[in-house]
Amino acid sequence: MHPYLITAKPGRLHRAAVWAGRCVLRALALAVMVGLGTVVFTVRCTRPVINYLAIRAAWLELWAASVTGIGPVGAAVGSGLTDEFIREFHKARTSAPT
């Protein structure tokens, strides 16, 4: 039995509003996906530049440490941050609810 035999059939305005709502929802979803794709593409394209700048900064710090006689501070700070990140990641991974 067709459901419209029991209840009233939706009118043209209602069907048009549903169709418009679906189109708007699809357009918003497409806009979000395009925005996220743009962000990901930008980050992936700038990664080699960031890596190069980090290598040059580390080289510059080592050169400055050899010239001035002061030890490299960035290596100590960077290793501490790495250790803290590993500790937090391990804590979150092992204590996560299943």
Side-chain angles (χ1 to χ4, degrees), residues 35-84:
L36 288 174
T38 304
V39 169
V40 169
F41 182 72
T42 304
V43 168
R44 284 182 176 238
C45 287
T46 57
R47 182 181 290 171
V49 175
I50 293 170
N51 286 344
Y52 175 77
L53 291 176
I55 290 169
R56 297 310 290 173
W59 178 86
L60 181 64
E61 182 185 17
L62 290 176
W63 174 81
S66 69
V67 170
T68 61
I70 302 171
V73 179
V77 172
S79 66
L81 287 175
T82 302
D83 292 341
E84 184 64 27

Side-chain angles (χ1 to χ4, degrees), residues 10-23:
R12 286 183 181 172
L13 284 176
H14 183 264
R15 284 184 286 163
V18 168
W19 180 82
R22 283 184 187 148
C23 286

Side-chain angles (χ1 to χ4, degrees), residues 83-98:
D83 292 341
E84 184 64 27
F85 175 76
I86 290 171
R87 206 171 10 260
E88 285 295 319
F89 178 73
H90 181 69
K91 186 190 308 179
R93 190 173 53 111
T94 55
S95 65
T98 56

